[in-house]
């Protein structure tokens, strides 16, 4: 009975801590916190760091500034706000008990954006906290090229990079080495074709993307997948945006109106294999379930 109560108390405490952290985040976003800066050598837009991540990572992106704006505009009970906040709380609850434990790291300004990189069973975070001063309980440190990586147990941090990388030390070391050596892919260039700010998004890229994104029963010729949620300020509709880079002759196509259970659907196919679709409706549940139509062209040689 005592152990059962201890486990229950631990779960309750974890939930309370997550809500405290989320409350602190919104307080900082709204203008609180100490404006103490740290020195940085490399500065990126948050989603640009995708180019330095190990392939076949699963990436979750949270824009806490946008979430704060939506909360003020739509209210705490809004469907998109609740959906994003629920996922964010789960992330913060885990992060606060592991890689972002406040006994290890302390921020002087709140989180504006959070990029969570899941690679197997381990996590790497990129945190946009306005390049503010960070206090880290350093045990050891190591030079990686011109950059310094600090360690506390299995947690590593590289304070000279913005957004701030912190997480499982082999992942941090790998990213820092690629940034220092300028070894970048070009996946982040796809984001330039996506207009607007997203409250929440998922990104998968690499040669194993097809394991998670199924196009047909037999094949999934994709190496990049993006799914983001946002509010269209003009129409007041919720929107889901898909961006897929196809490695073969596939593309987005029209949807039969009798099969479309949401208000509007727009898409564009680019010559380099990237296809972007926007699905919108005032009912967030319909947007969650919306999917674009995909068509493929199979070319076979005559006589084969």
């Amino acid at each position: 009975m005592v152990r059962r109560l201890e486990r229950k108390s631990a779960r309750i405490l974890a939930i309370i801590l997550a809500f405290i952290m989320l409350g602190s985040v919104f307080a900082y976003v709204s203008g609180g916190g100490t404006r103490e800066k740290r020195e940085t050598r490399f500065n990126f837009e948050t989603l640009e760091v995708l180019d330095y991540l190990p392939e076949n990572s699963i990436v979750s992106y949270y824009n806490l500034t946008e979430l704060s704006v939506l909360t003020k505009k739509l209210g705490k009970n809004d469907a998109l706000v609740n959906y994003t906040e629920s996922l964010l709380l789960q992330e913060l609850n885990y992060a606060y008990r592991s890689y972002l434990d406040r006994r290890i790291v302390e921020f002087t300004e709140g989180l504006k954006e959070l990029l969570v990189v899941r690679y197997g069973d381990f996590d790497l975070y990129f945190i946009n906290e306005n390049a503010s001063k960070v206090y880290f309980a350093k045990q050891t440190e190591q030079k990686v090229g011109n950059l310094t990586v600090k360690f506390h147990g299995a947690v590593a941090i590289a304070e000279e990079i913005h957004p701030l990388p912190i997480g499982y030390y082999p992942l941090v070391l790998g990213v820092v080495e690629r940034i220092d050596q300028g070894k970048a892919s070009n996946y982040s260039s796809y984001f330039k074709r996506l207009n607007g700010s997203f409250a929440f998004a998922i990104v998968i890229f690499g040669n194993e993307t097809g394991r998670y994104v199924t196009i047909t029963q037999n094949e999934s010729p994709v190496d990049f997948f993006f799914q983001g949620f946002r509010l269209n300020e003009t129409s007041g509709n919720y929107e889901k945006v898909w961006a897929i880079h196809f490695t073969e002759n596939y593309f987005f196509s029209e949807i039969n109106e009798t099969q479309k259970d949401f208000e509007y659907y727009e898409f564009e196919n680019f010559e380099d294999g990237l296809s972007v679709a926007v699905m919108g409706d005032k009912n967030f549940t319909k947007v969650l379930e919306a999917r674009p139509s995909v068509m493929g062209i199979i070319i076979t040689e005559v006589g084969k």
Side-chain angles (χ1 to χ4, degrees):
M1 176 64 73
V2 173
R3 289 183 179 176
R4 190 178 306 160
L5 289 173
E6 286 178 347
R7 287 196 297 269
K8 184 176 181 181
S9 298
R11 286 197 298 270
I12 293 172
L13 178 60
I15 293 171
I16 291 172
L17 289 174
F19 275 105
I20 289 173
M21 175 171 277
L22 187 60
S24 300
V25 165
F26 285 136
Y28 285 132
V29 166
S30 62
T34 304
R35 300 296 189 267
E36 189 176 0
K37 298 295 184 181
R38 70 177 193 277
E39 293 186 8
T40 57
R41 291 174 177 265
F42 292 91
N43 294 277
F44 304 97
E45 295 295 328
T46 301
L47 287 171
E48 286 181 344
V49 300
L50 195 76
D51 291 338
Y52 300 94
L53 301 181
E55 288 206 353
N56 303 314
S57 304
I58 299 176
V59 180
S60 299
Y61 168 74
Y62 300 89
N63 188 328
L64 284 84
T65 303
E66 180 69 12
L67 180 57
S68 179
V69 170
L70 291 177
T71 302
K72 292 176 182 178
K73 181 181 179 66
L74 303 174
K76 293 182 179 180
N77 296 322
D78 174 75
L80 174 58
V81 170
N82 278 335
Y83 177 77
T84 305
E85 188 174 289
S86 175
L87 294 171
L88 177 60
L89 280 172
Q90 292 178 46
E91 294 286 7
L92 292 177
N93 183 28
Y94 174 73
Y96 190 73
R97 292 183 288 110
S98 53
Y99 301 101
L100 302 186
D101 189 323
R102 295 182 73 175
R103 293 170 296 183
I104 299 175
V105 61
E106 185 75 33
F107 302 104
T108 59
E109 190 169 332
L111 284 64
K112 299 183 180 302
E113 295 173 285
L114 175 67
L115 198 72
V116 183
V117 184
R118 196 138 288 140
Y119 194 76
D121 295 327
F122 302 100
D123 290 348
L124 166 64
Y125 301 87
F126 280 90
I127 300 172
N128 176 0
E129 30 60 81
N130 204 25
S132 61
K133 179 72 175 178
V134 175
Y135 294 96
F136 185 75
K138 180 186 71 174
Q139 293 175 333
T140 59
E141 68 179 37
Q142 174 183 330
K143 291 291 288 186
V144 178
N146 295 312
L147 297 169
T148 300
V149 178
K150 299 178 181 179
F151 303 87
H152 183 106
V155 180
I157 190 172
E159 297 177 21
E160 297 164 303
I161 297 172
H162 172 74
L164 180 73
I166 181 172
Y168 186 52
Y169 74 93
L171 295 179
V172 174
L173 286 171
V175 165
V176 171
E177 182 178 1
R178 284 189 285 275
I179 289 176
D180 180 71
Q181 296 178 0
K183 294 181 178 179
S185 64
N186 198 36
Y187 289 111
S188 71
S189 64
Y190 298 144
F191 296 123
K192 296 176 182 177
R193 293 177 238 181
L194 308 177
N195 298 318
S197 298
F198 296 90
F200 169 70
I202 292 177
V203 186
I204 308 172
F205 62 97
N207 57 15
E208 294 185 11
T209 305
R211 291 176 52 194
Y212 307 98
V213 183
T214 303
I215 303 301
T216 70
Q217 290 184 344
N218 298 322
E219 58 182 353
S220 294
V222 301
D223 62 4
F224 175 87
F225 171 78
F226 171 93
Q227 175 179 269
F229 295 93
R230 67 189 182 193
L231 178 72
N232 185 314
E233 296 284 348
T234 303
S235 66
N237 285 294
Y238 303 109
E239 290 185 342
K240 175 198 281 187
V241 177
W242 270 26
I244 295 180
H245 182 258
F246 295 100
T247 57
E248 295 182 17
N249 294 315
Y250 286 84
F251 45 86
F252 291 154
S253 60
E254 295 286 353
I255 297 178
N256 190 312
E257 286 297 321
T258 61
Q259 299 176 337
K260 182 166 65 70
D261 189 32
F262 46 94
E263 187 174 334
Y264 59 86
Y265 168 60
E266 302 167 353
F267 65 91
E268 185 172 0
N269 298 306
F270 297 90
E271 291 184 358
D272 63 355
L274 182 71
S275 292
V276 177
V278 179
M279 296 148 282
D281 199 284
K282 285 187 166 55
N283 185 322
F284 185 66
T285 300
K286 290 185 177 181
V287 171
L288 270 178
E289 297 173 353
R291 288 174 61 95
S293 174
V294 178
M295 180 177 292
I297 298 177
I298 309 300
I299 301 175
T300 58
E301 295 182 26
V302 177
K304 292 269 183 163

